[in-house]
């Protein structure tokens, strides 16, 4: 991560810093980054192609649907795994 000082002063005249993400794959849209940041242990993410009934399933989930048109599944999966490793153990 890269920190840069911004001249954001509050009423106490303290200078705050802002964290900027580096090396984030450009195929990941902002909404997907937000969802990944909210995920915890045991949460599930579905990466599906156009034949999956995403609209009906996403209507029942809090994250909703994130479209990544023009990106194939291996590229998207590789970009996600760069930021978020898989859990080493899962319940069967």
């Amino acid at each position: 991560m890269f920190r840069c000082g911004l001249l954001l002063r509050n009423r106490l005249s303290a200078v705050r810093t802002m964290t900027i993400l580096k090396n984030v794959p450009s195929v990941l849209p902002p909404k997907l980054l937000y969802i990944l940041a909210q995920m915890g242990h045991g949460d599930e993410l579905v990466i599906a192609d156009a034949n999956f009934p995403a609209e009906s399933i996403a209507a029942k989930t809090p994250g909703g649907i994130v479209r990544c048109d023009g990106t194939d599944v291996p590229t998207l999966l590789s970009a996600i795994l760069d930021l978020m490793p898989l859990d080493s153990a899962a319940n069967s």
Side-chain angles (χ1 to χ4, degrees):
M1 292 204 198
F2 176 78
R3 292 196 172 269
C4 73
L6 296 179
L7 296 177
L8 297 176
R9 297 187 184 270
N10 62 12
R11 56 192 163 109
L12 300 176
S13 298
V15 175
R16 296 182 185 186
T17 58
M18 181 175 153
T19 302
I20 298 173
L21 297 174
K22 293 176 70 176
N23 301 325
V24 176
S26 61
V27 297
L28 300 178
K31 183 176 178 183
L32 182 55
L33 292 173
Y34 179 72
I35 290 170
L36 290 173
Q38 289 182 324
M39 290 181 71
H41 293 283
D43 287 346
E44 297 176 344
L45 178 71
V46 175
I47 301 173
D49 64 3
N51 297 319
F52 186 76
E55 295 292 334
S56 60
I57 292 177
K60 303 171 190 170
T61 63
I65 194 167
V66 179
R67 299 183 59 95
C68 297
D69 296 334
T71 306
D72 60 351
V73 171
T75 302
L76 186 62
L77 182 58
S78 176
I80 291 171
L81 291 176
D82 284 347
L83 297 178
M84 186 174 195
L86 295 175
D87 285 342
S88 59
N91 296 335
S92 301

